[in-house]
Amino acid sequence: LRPGGRDRPHGRFGRGRIVGDSGADPGDPVEDAGDELLQKNLLHRILVPTDFSLKSLSALDVIRMLREHISEVVFVHVVERSRSQDDLEDKMKTASNRLQELVDEMKIFGIKAGFHVRKGAASKEILRIAEKEDVSLIVMAKTGAGLVKGLVMGSTAQNVTLNSERSLLLLPPENAADD
């Protein structure tokens, strides 16, 4: 610590330092290099799971707003059910084409991007890809295109929340204020 400074207790603003003779209000949090490093690392590589519903694509609005701070985006779509091998192949091809469009949009913004299409349980595949890609943040909607309406949180978002060791940003439905 510099002379005149004291440790800031953990609280609403986390770790920090209050420095005496700086002219700043002693109650204001002081940003330091650690805070900046945390912000940069949090937005380094973002995983965006999507089922192509409007709710799940709301993550794109967040990315557009933060595009200057994001290094890379990884999109993922998981096919959970198919009637046949042909149906599975068709769903995976369609998903690949739609994800490629999202990747191309990110490139317009100058953001490196890629995607994965998987078959299986959505939450398990999302968690596997999050680990494999070493993402710093998962950005997903609280609910997607599931069959049950009016849920506070969808089963995929709930399972990811309970089992992820990665930072997670859950986006509310656009009409949450109307509920």
Short mmCIF file of all heavy atoms in Angstrom, two decimals, residues 72-137:
data_model
loop_
_atom_site.label_atom_id
_atom_site.label_comp_id
_atom_site.label_asym_id
_atom_site.label_seq_id
_atom_site.Cartn_x
_atom_site.Cartn_y
_atom_site.Cartn_z
N GLU A 72 -13.45 -12.94 -28.93
CA GLU A 72 -13.90 -14.08 -29.72
C GLU A 72 -15.25 -14.57 -29.23
O GLU A 72 -15.55 -14.53 -28.04
CB GLU A 72 -12.87 -15.21 -29.60
CG GLU A 72 -13.16 -16.41 -30.45
CD GLU A 72 -12.06 -17.46 -30.38
OE1 GLU A 72 -11.01 -17.20 -29.76
OE2 GLU A 72 -12.26 -18.53 -30.97
N VAL A 73 -16.06 -15.05 -30.18
CA VAL A 73 -17.37 -15.63 -29.86
C VAL A 73 -17.42 -17.03 -30.44
O VAL A 73 -17.02 -17.26 -31.58
CB VAL A 73 -18.52 -14.79 -30.45
CG1 VAL A 73 -19.86 -15.45 -30.19
CG2 VAL A 73 -18.52 -13.38 -29.86
N VAL A 74 -17.92 -17.96 -29.63
CA VAL A 74 -18.13 -19.34 -30.07
C VAL A 74 -19.62 -19.63 -29.93
O VAL A 74 -20.17 -19.56 -28.83
CB VAL A 74 -17.30 -20.33 -29.23
CG1 VAL A 74 -17.57 -21.77 -29.69
CG2 VAL A 74 -15.83 -20.01 -29.28
N PHE A 75 -20.27 -19.94 -31.04
CA PHE A 75 -21.69 -20.29 -31.03
C PHE A 75 -21.82 -21.80 -30.95
O PHE A 75 -20.98 -22.54 -31.45
CB PHE A 75 -22.38 -19.80 -32.31
CG PHE A 75 -22.43 -18.31 -32.44
CD1 PHE A 75 -21.53 -17.64 -33.25
CD2 PHE A 75 -23.40 -17.58 -31.76
CE1 PHE A 75 -21.58 -16.26 -33.38
CE2 PHE A 75 -23.44 -16.19 -31.88
CZ PHE A 75 -22.54 -15.53 -32.69
N VAL A 76 -22.91 -22.25 -30.32
CA VAL A 76 -23.18 -23.69 -30.27
C VAL A 76 -24.68 -23.93 -30.40
O VAL A 76 -25.50 -23.19 -29.85
CB VAL A 76 -22.63 -24.34 -28.97
CG1 VAL A 76 -23.28 -23.76 -27.74
CG2 VAL A 76 -22.82 -25.85 -28.99
N HIS A 77 -25.00 -24.95 -31.18
CA HIS A 77 -26.38 -25.43 -31.30
C HIS A 77 -26.35 -26.93 -31.06
O HIS A 77 -25.49 -27.63 -31.60
CB HIS A 77 -26.96 -25.14 -32.68
CG HIS A 77 -28.34 -25.69 -32.86
ND1 HIS A 77 -29.46 -25.11 -32.31
CD2 HIS A 77 -28.77 -26.80 -33.50
CE1 HIS A 77 -30.52 -25.84 -32.63
NE2 HIS A 77 -30.13 -26.87 -33.35
N VAL A 78 -27.30 -27.40 -30.25
CA VAL A 78 -27.37 -28.83 -29.95
C VAL A 78 -28.69 -29.38 -30.46
O VAL A 78 -29.76 -28.87 -30.12
CB VAL A 78 -27.24 -29.09 -28.43
CG1 VAL A 78 -27.32 -30.59 -28.14
CG2 VAL A 78 -25.94 -28.50 -27.89
N VAL A 79 -28.60 -30.41 -31.28
CA VAL A 79 -29.79 -31.12 -31.76
C VAL A 79 -30.08 -32.20 -30.73
O VAL A 79 -29.28 -33.11 -30.53
CB VAL A 79 -29.54 -31.75 -33.16
CG1 VAL A 79 -30.77 -32.54 -33.61
CG2 VAL A 79 -29.16 -30.69 -34.18
N GLU A 80 -31.21 -32.06 -30.06
CA GLU A 80 -31.55 -33.01 -28.99
C GLU A 80 -32.37 -34.19 -29.48
O GLU A 80 -32.28 -35.27 -28.93
CB GLU A 80 -32.29 -32.29 -27.86
CG GLU A 80 -31.40 -31.31 -27.12
CD GLU A 80 -32.04 -30.78 -25.86
OE1 GLU A 80 -32.94 -29.93 -25.95
OE2 GLU A 80 -31.62 -31.24 -24.78
N ARG A 81 -33.18 -33.96 -30.51
CA ARG A 81 -34.05 -35.03 -31.00
C ARG A 81 -34.06 -35.05 -32.52
O ARG A 81 -33.99 -34.00 -33.16
CB ARG A 81 -35.49 -34.79 -30.53
CG ARG A 81 -35.69 -34.90 -29.06
CD ARG A 81 -37.14 -34.53 -28.69
NE ARG A 81 -37.23 -34.07 -27.34
CZ ARG A 81 -36.97 -32.82 -26.92
NH1 ARG A 81 -36.61 -31.91 -27.78
NH2 ARG A 81 -37.07 -32.50 -25.66
N SER A 82 -34.18 -36.25 -33.05
CA SER A 82 -34.37 -36.40 -34.50
C SER A 82 -35.14 -37.69 -34.73
O SER A 82 -35.05 -38.64 -33.95
CB SER A 82 -33.02 -36.42 -35.23
OG SER A 82 -32.23 -37.47 -34.78
N ARG A 83 -35.90 -37.70 -35.81
CA ARG A 83 -36.74 -38.87 -36.11
C ARG A 83 -35.96 -39.98 -36.80
O ARG A 83 -36.31 -41.14 -36.71
CB ARG A 83 -37.92 -38.44 -36.98
CG ARG A 83 -38.91 -37.55 -36.25
CD ARG A 83 -40.13 -37.24 -37.11
NE ARG A 83 -39.81 -36.36 -38.22
CZ ARG A 83 -39.84 -35.03 -38.16
NH1 ARG A 83 -40.18 -34.43 -37.05
NH2 ARG A 83 -39.56 -34.31 -39.22
N SER A 84 -34.91 -39.59 -37.52
CA SER A 84 -34.14 -40.57 -38.28
C SER A 84 -32.74 -40.01 -38.53
O SER A 84 -32.47 -38.84 -38.23
CB SER A 84 -34.83 -40.86 -39.62
OG SER A 84 -34.83 -39.68 -40.42
N GLN A 85 -31.91 -40.82 -39.10
CA GLN A 85 -30.56 -40.35 -39.43
C GLN A 85 -30.61 -39.22 -40.46
O GLN A 85 -29.88 -38.24 -40.35
CB GLN A 85 -29.70 -41.52 -39.96
CG GLN A 85 -28.26 -41.16 -40.21
CD GLN A 85 -27.52 -40.75 -38.93
OE1 GLN A 85 -27.81 -41.22 -37.83
NE2 GLN A 85 -26.56 -39.85 -39.08
N ASP A 86 -31.52 -39.34 -41.43
CA ASP A 86 -31.68 -38.28 -42.43
C ASP A 86 -32.15 -36.98 -41.78
O ASP A 86 -31.68 -35.90 -42.13
CB ASP A 86 -32.67 -38.70 -43.53
CG ASP A 86 -32.11 -39.76 -44.46
OD1 ASP A 86 -30.86 -39.91 -44.50
OD2 ASP A 86 -32.90 -40.43 -45.15
N ASP A 87 -33.10 -37.10 -40.85
CA ASP A 87 -33.60 -35.92 -40.13
C ASP A 87 -32.47 -35.27 -39.33
O ASP A 87 -32.34 -34.05 -39.32
CB ASP A 87 -34.76 -36.33 -39.21
CG ASP A 87 -35.38 -35.15 -38.49
OD1 ASP A 87 -35.66 -34.13 -39.16
OD2 ASP A 87 -35.58 -35.24 -37.27
N LEU A 88 -31.67 -36.11 -38.67
CA LEU A 88 -30.53 -35.59 -37.90
C LEU A 88 -29.56 -34.84 -38.80
O LEU A 88 -29.14 -33.71 -38.49
CB LEU A 88 -29.80 -36.73 -37.18
CG LEU A 88 -28.50 -36.37 -36.48
CD1 LEU A 88 -28.75 -35.38 -35.35
CD2 LEU A 88 -27.80 -37.61 -35.97
N GLU A 89 -29.21 -35.44 -39.92
CA GLU A 89 -28.27 -34.80 -40.85
C GLU A 89 -28.83 -33.49 -41.39
O GLU A 89 -28.11 -32.49 -41.50
CB GLU A 89 -27.92 -35.75 -41.99
CG GLU A 89 -27.06 -36.92 -41.54
CD GLU A 89 -26.87 -37.99 -42.61
OE1 GLU A 89 -27.29 -37.76 -43.78
OE2 GLU A 89 -26.33 -39.05 -42.28
N ASP A 90 -30.14 -33.47 -41.67
CA ASP A 90 -30.78 -32.26 -42.17
C ASP A 90 -30.75 -31.15 -41.10
O ASP A 90 -30.42 -30.00 -41.40
CB ASP A 90 -32.23 -32.56 -42.59
CG ASP A 90 -32.91 -31.36 -43.21
OD1 ASP A 90 -32.30 -30.73 -44.11
OD2 ASP A 90 -34.04 -31.03 -42.78
N LYS A 91 -31.09 -31.52 -39.85
CA LYS A 91 -31.07 -30.53 -38.76
C LYS A 91 -29.66 -30.00 -38.52
O LYS A 91 -29.47 -28.80 -38.27
CB LYS A 91 -31.62 -31.15 -37.47
CG LYS A 91 -33.12 -31.33 -37.48
CD LYS A 91 -33.60 -31.91 -36.17
CE LYS A 91 -35.12 -32.01 -36.14
NZ LYS A 91 -35.60 -32.53 -34.86
N MET A 92 -28.67 -30.86 -38.58
CA MET A 92 -27.29 -30.43 -38.34
C MET A 92 -26.79 -29.54 -39.48
O MET A 92 -26.09 -28.54 -39.23
CB MET A 92 -26.39 -31.64 -38.11
CG MET A 92 -26.76 -32.34 -36.80
SD MET A 92 -25.65 -33.63 -36.30
CE MET A 92 -24.36 -32.70 -35.51
N LYS A 93 -27.17 -29.85 -40.71
CA LYS A 93 -26.77 -29.02 -41.85
C LYS A 93 -27.43 -27.65 -41.78
O LYS A 93 -26.80 -26.62 -42.00
CB LYS A 93 -27.12 -29.71 -43.17
CG LYS A 93 -26.70 -28.93 -44.39
CD LYS A 93 -27.04 -29.64 -45.68
CE LYS A 93 -26.61 -28.78 -46.86
NZ LYS A 93 -27.01 -29.35 -48.13
N THR A 94 -28.72 -27.63 -41.47
CA THR A 94 -29.45 -26.36 -41.33
C THR A 94 -28.83 -25.51 -40.23
O THR A 94 -28.62 -24.31 -40.39
CB THR A 94 -30.94 -26.63 -41.04
OG1 THR A 94 -31.50 -27.37 -42.12
CG2 THR A 94 -31.70 -25.33 -40.85
N ALA A 95 -28.53 -26.15 -39.09
CA ALA A 95 -27.92 -25.42 -37.98
C ALA A 95 -26.55 -24.86 -38.38
O ALA A 95 -26.22 -23.72 -38.05
CB ALA A 95 -27.78 -26.34 -36.76
N SER A 96 -25.76 -25.65 -39.09
CA SER A 96 -24.44 -25.18 -39.54
C SER A 96 -24.56 -23.95 -40.42
O SER A 96 -23.80 -22.99 -40.27
CB SER A 96 -23.70 -26.28 -40.30
OG SER A 96 -23.35 -27.33 -39.44
N ASN A 97 -25.54 -23.96 -41.32
CA ASN A 97 -25.73 -22.81 -42.20
C ASN A 97 -26.15 -21.57 -41.42
O ASN A 97 -25.64 -20.47 -41.67
CB ASN A 97 -26.79 -23.13 -43.28
CG ASN A 97 -26.30 -24.16 -44.28
OD1 ASN A 97 -25.10 -24.35 -44.47
ND2 ASN A 97 -27.24 -24.85 -44.91
N ARG A 98 -27.05 -21.73 -40.47
CA ARG A 98 -27.51 -20.59 -39.67
C ARG A 98 -26.39 -20.07 -38.78
O ARG A 98 -26.24 -18.85 -38.60
CB ARG A 98 -28.73 -20.97 -38.86
CG ARG A 98 -29.94 -21.26 -39.77
CD ARG A 98 -31.17 -21.61 -39.01
NE ARG A 98 -31.76 -20.38 -38.45
CZ ARG A 98 -32.86 -20.38 -37.72
NH1 ARG A 98 -33.49 -21.50 -37.46
NH2 ARG A 98 -33.34 -19.24 -37.25
N LEU A 99 -25.61 -20.97 -38.20
CA LEU A 99 -24.49 -20.55 -37.36
C LEU A 99 -23.42 -19.84 -38.18
O LEU A 99 -22.80 -18.88 -37.70
CB LEU A 99 -23.91 -21.74 -36.60
CG LEU A 99 -24.81 -22.32 -35.50
CD1 LEU A 99 -24.24 -23.63 -34.99
CD2 LEU A 99 -24.99 -21.33 -34.36
N GLN A 100 -23.20 -20.30 -39.40
CA GLN A 100 -22.22 -19.64 -40.25
C GLN A 100 -22.64 -18.20 -40.52
O GLN A 100 -21.80 -17.30 -40.59
CB GLN A 100 -22.03 -20.40 -41.56
CG GLN A 100 -20.92 -19.84 -42.44
CD GLN A 100 -19.56 -19.84 -41.74
OE1 GLN A 100 -19.10 -20.86 -41.25
NE2 GLN A 100 -18.91 -18.67 -41.69
N GLU A 101 -23.94 -17.96 -40.67
CA GLU A 101 -24.43 -16.58 -40.84
C GLU A 101 -24.09 -15.73 -39.62
O GLU A 101 -23.69 -14.56 -39.76
CB GLU A 101 -25.94 -16.58 -41.07
CG GLU A 101 -26.37 -17.15 -42.41
CD GLU A 101 -27.88 -17.25 -42.55
OE1 GLU A 101 -28.62 -16.68 -41.71
OE2 GLU A 101 -28.33 -17.91 -43.51
N LEU A 102 -24.23 -16.30 -38.42
CA LEU A 102 -23.89 -15.57 -37.19
C LEU A 102 -22.39 -15.29 -37.13
O LEU A 102 -21.96 -14.20 -36.74
CB LEU A 102 -24.34 -16.35 -35.96
CG LEU A 102 -25.85 -16.56 -35.81
CD1 LEU A 102 -26.15 -17.44 -34.60
CD2 LEU A 102 -26.58 -15.23 -35.71
N VAL A 103 -21.59 -16.27 -37.52
CA VAL A 103 -20.13 -16.10 -37.55
C VAL A 103 -19.76 -14.98 -38.52
O VAL A 103 -18.93 -14.12 -38.21
CB VAL A 103 -19.43 -17.42 -37.93
CG1 VAL A 103 -17.97 -17.21 -38.30
CG2 VAL A 103 -19.56 -18.43 -36.78
N ASP A 104 -20.38 -14.98 -39.68
CA ASP A 104 -20.11 -13.94 -40.67
C ASP A 104 -20.47 -12.55 -40.14
O ASP A 104 -19.75 -11.58 -40.39
CB ASP A 104 -20.86 -14.22 -41.98
CG ASP A 104 -20.35 -15.47 -42.70
OD1 ASP A 104 -19.22 -15.92 -42.39
OD2 ASP A 104 -21.08 -16.00 -43.56
N GLU A 105 -21.57 -12.46 -39.40
CA GLU A 105 -21.95 -11.18 -38.80
C GLU A 105 -20.89 -10.72 -37.79
O GLU A 105 -20.54 -9.54 -37.74
CB GLU A 105 -23.31 -11.29 -38.11
CG GLU A 105 -23.75 -9.98 -37.48
CD GLU A 105 -25.09 -10.06 -36.77
OE1 GLU A 105 -25.85 -11.02 -36.98
OE2 GLU A 105 -25.37 -9.12 -36.01
N MET A 106 -20.38 -11.65 -37.00
CA MET A 106 -19.35 -11.28 -36.02
C MET A 106 -18.09 -10.76 -36.72
O MET A 106 -17.45 -9.82 -36.26
CB MET A 106 -18.98 -12.48 -35.13
CG MET A 106 -20.09 -12.94 -34.21
SD MET A 106 -20.63 -11.68 -33.05
CE MET A 106 -22.21 -11.21 -33.77
N LYS A 107 -17.75 -11.38 -37.83
CA LYS A 107 -16.57 -10.95 -38.58
C LYS A 107 -16.74 -9.54 -39.11
O LYS A 107 -15.77 -8.78 -39.19
CB LYS A 107 -16.26 -11.94 -39.71
CG LYS A 107 -15.75 -13.26 -39.17
CD LYS A 107 -15.45 -14.26 -40.27
CE LYS A 107 -14.95 -15.57 -39.67
NZ LYS A 107 -14.72 -16.58 -40.69
N ILE A 108 -17.97 -9.15 -39.46
CA ILE A 108 -18.23 -7.77 -39.89
C ILE A 108 -17.88 -6.80 -38.77
O ILE A 108 -17.36 -5.72 -39.01
CB ILE A 108 -19.72 -7.61 -40.31
CG1 ILE A 108 -19.97 -8.37 -41.61
CG2 ILE A 108 -20.09 -6.13 -40.45
CD1 ILE A 108 -21.44 -8.47 -41.98
N PHE A 109 -18.13 -7.22 -37.52
CA PHE A 109 -17.81 -6.40 -36.35
C PHE A 109 -16.34 -6.51 -35.95
O PHE A 109 -15.91 -5.89 -34.98
CB PHE A 109 -18.68 -6.79 -35.16
CG PHE A 109 -20.13 -6.43 -35.30
CD1 PHE A 109 -21.11 -7.39 -35.11
CD2 PHE A 109 -20.52 -5.15 -35.62
CE1 PHE A 109 -22.45 -7.07 -35.23
CE2 PHE A 109 -21.86 -4.81 -35.74
CZ PHE A 109 -22.82 -5.77 -35.55
N GLY A 110 -15.58 -7.32 -36.66
CA GLY A 110 -14.17 -7.48 -36.33
C GLY A 110 -13.92 -8.45 -35.18
O GLY A 110 -12.87 -8.41 -34.55
N ILE A 111 -14.89 -9.32 -34.91
CA ILE A 111 -14.77 -10.29 -33.82
C ILE A 111 -14.50 -11.67 -34.42
O ILE A 111 -15.23 -12.13 -35.30
CB ILE A 111 -16.06 -10.35 -32.98
CG1 ILE A 111 -16.35 -8.98 -32.36
CG2 ILE A 111 -15.96 -11.42 -31.90
CD1 ILE A 111 -17.71 -8.89 -31.68
N LYS A 112 -13.47 -12.32 -33.93
CA LYS A 112 -13.18 -13.69 -34.34
C LYS A 112 -14.32 -14.58 -33.85
O LYS A 112 -14.81 -14.41 -32.73
CB LYS A 112 -11.85 -14.13 -33.71
CG LYS A 112 -11.42 -15.52 -34.08
CD LYS A 112 -10.09 -15.85 -33.44
CE LYS A 112 -9.72 -17.29 -33.70
NZ LYS A 112 -8.51 -17.68 -32.97
N ALA A 113 -14.78 -15.50 -34.68
CA ALA A 113 -15.92 -16.33 -34.29
C ALA A 113 -15.83 -17.72 -34.91
O ALA A 113 -15.19 -17.91 -35.94
CB ALA A 113 -17.23 -15.65 -34.70
N GLY A 114 -16.49 -18.65 -34.27
CA GLY A 114 -16.59 -20.02 -34.76
C GLY A 114 -17.85 -20.65 -34.21
O GLY A 114 -18.60 -20.01 -33.46
N PHE A 115 -18.10 -21.92 -34.56
CA PHE A 115 -19.30 -22.57 -34.06
C PHE A 115 -19.12 -24.07 -33.96
O PHE A 115 -18.21 -24.65 -34.55
CB PHE A 115 -20.53 -22.24 -34.94
CG PHE A 115 -20.50 -22.84 -36.32
CD1 PHE A 115 -20.97 -24.12 -36.55
CD2 PHE A 115 -20.03 -22.10 -37.39
CE1 PHE A 115 -20.97 -24.67 -37.82
CE2 PHE A 115 -20.03 -22.63 -38.67
CZ PHE A 115 -20.50 -23.92 -38.89
N HIS A 116 -20.03 -24.66 -33.17
CA HIS A 116 -20.11 -26.11 -33.02
C HIS A 116 -21.57 -26.52 -33.17
O HIS A 116 -22.45 -25.82 -32.68
CB HIS A 116 -19.66 -26.56 -31.62
CG HIS A 116 -18.23 -26.30 -31.32
ND1 HIS A 116 -17.23 -27.19 -31.63
CD2 HIS A 116 -17.62 -25.24 -30.74
CE1 HIS A 116 -16.07 -26.69 -31.24
NE2 HIS A 116 -16.28 -25.51 -30.70
N VAL A 117 -21.81 -27.64 -33.82
CA VAL A 117 -23.13 -28.26 -33.85
C VAL A 117 -22.94 -29.64 -33.25
O VAL A 117 -22.06 -30.39 -33.67
CB VAL A 117 -23.69 -28.37 -35.29
CG1 VAL A 117 -25.05 -29.06 -35.28
CG2 VAL A 117 -23.79 -27.00 -35.95
N ARG A 118 -23.76 -29.97 -32.26
CA ARG A 118 -23.63 -31.24 -31.56
C ARG A 118 -24.99 -31.92 -31.48
O ARG A 118 -26.03 -31.29 -31.58
CB ARG A 118 -23.11 -31.03 -30.13
CG ARG A 118 -21.71 -30.50 -30.04
CD ARG A 118 -20.72 -31.61 -30.35
NE ARG A 118 -19.38 -31.27 -29.95
CZ ARG A 118 -18.51 -30.63 -30.71
NH1 ARG A 118 -18.86 -30.25 -31.91
NH2 ARG A 118 -17.31 -30.37 -30.29
N LYS A 119 -24.97 -33.20 -31.21
CA LYS A 119 -26.17 -33.98 -30.93
C LYS A 119 -26.07 -34.47 -29.50
O LYS A 119 -25.00 -34.89 -29.06
CB LYS A 119 -26.26 -35.18 -31.88
CG LYS A 119 -27.50 -36.02 -31.64
CD LYS A 119 -27.47 -37.31 -32.42
CE LYS A 119 -28.73 -38.12 -32.26
NZ LYS A 119 -29.13 -38.38 -30.89
N GLY A 120 -27.17 -34.38 -28.76
CA GLY A 120 -27.16 -34.86 -27.39
C GLY A 120 -28.00 -33.99 -26.48
O GLY A 120 -28.86 -33.24 -26.94
N ALA A 121 -27.72 -34.07 -25.19
CA ALA A 121 -28.41 -33.23 -24.21
C ALA A 121 -27.78 -31.85 -24.24
O ALA A 121 -26.56 -31.70 -24.08
CB ALA A 121 -28.28 -33.85 -22.83
N ALA A 122 -28.60 -30.82 -24.46
CA ALA A 122 -28.08 -29.47 -24.67
C ALA A 122 -27.16 -29.00 -23.55
O ALA A 122 -26.06 -28.53 -23.80
CB ALA A 122 -29.24 -28.49 -24.86
N SER A 123 -27.60 -29.12 -22.30
CA SER A 123 -26.79 -28.60 -21.20
C SER A 123 -25.44 -29.32 -21.10
O SER A 123 -24.40 -28.68 -20.89
CB SER A 123 -27.53 -28.68 -19.87
OG SER A 123 -27.91 -30.01 -19.59
N LYS A 124 -25.43 -30.62 -21.29
CA LYS A 124 -24.17 -31.37 -21.21
C LYS A 124 -23.21 -30.97 -22.33
O LYS A 124 -22.01 -30.81 -22.12
CB LYS A 124 -24.43 -32.88 -21.26
CG LYS A 124 -25.05 -33.40 -19.99
CD LYS A 124 -25.27 -34.90 -20.06
CE LYS A 124 -25.92 -35.39 -18.77
NZ LYS A 124 -26.16 -36.83 -18.79
N GLU A 125 -23.75 -30.81 -23.53
CA GLU A 125 -22.90 -30.42 -24.67
C GLU A 125 -22.39 -28.99 -24.51
O GLU A 125 -21.24 -28.70 -24.83
CB GLU A 125 -23.66 -30.60 -25.99
CG GLU A 125 -23.98 -32.03 -26.33
CD GLU A 125 -22.73 -32.92 -26.41
OE1 GLU A 125 -21.71 -32.48 -26.99
OE2 GLU A 125 -22.78 -34.05 -25.89
N ILE A 126 -23.22 -28.10 -24.01
CA ILE A 126 -22.80 -26.72 -23.77
C ILE A 126 -21.65 -26.70 -22.77
O ILE A 126 -20.63 -26.01 -22.98
CB ILE A 126 -23.99 -25.86 -23.27
CG1 ILE A 126 -24.99 -25.64 -24.41
CG2 ILE A 126 -23.50 -24.52 -22.71
CD1 ILE A 126 -26.34 -25.13 -23.95
N LEU A 127 -21.78 -27.45 -21.70
CA LEU A 127 -20.73 -27.50 -20.68
C LEU A 127 -19.44 -28.12 -21.23
O LEU A 127 -18.34 -27.65 -20.92
CB LEU A 127 -21.21 -28.26 -19.44
CG LEU A 127 -22.34 -27.57 -18.66
CD1 LEU A 127 -22.94 -28.50 -17.64
CD2 LEU A 127 -21.84 -26.28 -18.03
N ARG A 128 -19.55 -29.15 -22.05
CA ARG A 128 -18.37 -29.77 -22.66
C ARG A 128 -17.63 -28.77 -23.55
O ARG A 128 -16.41 -28.66 -23.51
CB ARG A 128 -18.76 -30.99 -23.49
CG ARG A 128 -19.00 -32.22 -22.69
CD ARG A 128 -19.17 -33.44 -23.59
NE ARG A 128 -19.66 -34.53 -22.79
CZ ARG A 128 -20.83 -35.13 -22.94
NH1 ARG A 128 -21.64 -34.77 -23.91
NH2 ARG A 128 -21.20 -36.11 -22.15
N ILE A 129 -18.39 -28.06 -24.37
CA ILE A 129 -17.77 -27.09 -25.28
C ILE A 129 -17.17 -25.93 -24.50
O ILE A 129 -16.10 -25.44 -24.85
CB ILE A 129 -18.79 -26.62 -26.34
CG1 ILE A 129 -19.13 -27.80 -27.25
CG2 ILE A 129 -18.26 -25.44 -27.13
CD1 ILE A 129 -20.31 -27.56 -28.16
N ALA A 130 -17.85 -25.50 -23.43
CA ALA A 130 -17.31 -24.42 -22.61
C ALA A 130 -15.93 -24.79 -22.06
O ALA A 130 -15.00 -23.97 -22.06
CB ALA A 130 -18.26 -24.09 -21.46
N GLU A 131 -15.78 -26.01 -21.63
CA GLU A 131 -14.48 -26.47 -21.12
C GLU A 131 -13.47 -26.63 -22.25
O GLU A 131 -12.33 -26.18 -22.15
CB GLU A 131 -14.64 -27.79 -20.36
CG GLU A 131 -15.39 -27.67 -19.06
CD GLU A 131 -14.72 -26.74 -18.06
OE1 GLU A 131 -13.49 -26.83 -17.88
OE2 GLU A 131 -15.43 -25.91 -17.47
N LYS A 132 -13.88 -27.29 -23.32
CA LYS A 132 -12.98 -27.55 -24.45
C LYS A 132 -12.44 -26.25 -25.04
O LYS A 132 -11.26 -26.13 -25.35
CB LYS A 132 -13.72 -28.34 -25.53
CG LYS A 132 -12.89 -28.61 -26.77
CD LYS A 132 -13.70 -29.31 -27.84
CE LYS A 132 -12.88 -29.39 -29.12
NZ LYS A 132 -13.67 -29.81 -30.25
N GLU A 133 -13.32 -25.25 -25.20
CA GLU A 133 -12.94 -23.98 -25.80
C GLU A 133 -12.35 -23.01 -24.78
O GLU A 133 -11.92 -21.92 -25.15
CB GLU A 133 -14.16 -23.33 -26.47
CG GLU A 133 -14.63 -24.04 -27.70
CD GLU A 133 -13.75 -23.80 -28.90
OE1 GLU A 133 -12.94 -22.85 -28.91
OE2 GLU A 133 -13.85 -24.58 -29.87
N ASP A 134 -12.36 -23.40 -23.50
CA ASP A 134 -11.84 -22.56 -22.43
C ASP A 134 -12.46 -21.16 -22.47
O ASP A 134 -11.76 -20.15 -22.48
CB ASP A 134 -10.31 -22.48 -22.49
CG ASP A 134 -9.71 -21.87 -21.23
OD1 ASP A 134 -10.34 -21.98 -20.16
OD2 ASP A 134 -8.63 -21.27 -21.33
N VAL A 135 -13.80 -21.11 -22.52
CA VAL A 135 -14.49 -19.83 -22.61
C VAL A 135 -14.43 -19.10 -21.28
O VAL A 135 -14.35 -19.72 -20.21
CB VAL A 135 -15.96 -19.98 -23.08
CG1 VAL A 135 -16.02 -20.62 -24.45
CG2 VAL A 135 -16.80 -20.74 -22.08
N SER A 136 -14.47 -17.79 -21.35
CA SER A 136 -14.44 -16.98 -20.14
C SER A 136 -15.85 -16.61 -19.67
O SER A 136 -16.04 -16.26 -18.51
CB SER A 136 -13.63 -15.71 -20.39
OG SER A 136 -14.10 -15.05 -21.54
N LEU A 137 -16.84 -16.72 -20.56
CA LEU A 137 -18.20 -16.33 -20.22
C LEU A 137 -19.17 -17.08 -21.13
O LEU A 137 -18.93 -17.22 -22.33
CB LEU A 137 -18.38 -14.82 -20.43
CG LEU A 137 -19.76 -14.21 -20.16
CD1 LEU A 137 -20.11 -14.31 -18.68
CD2 LEU A 137 -19.77 -12.75 -20.60
#
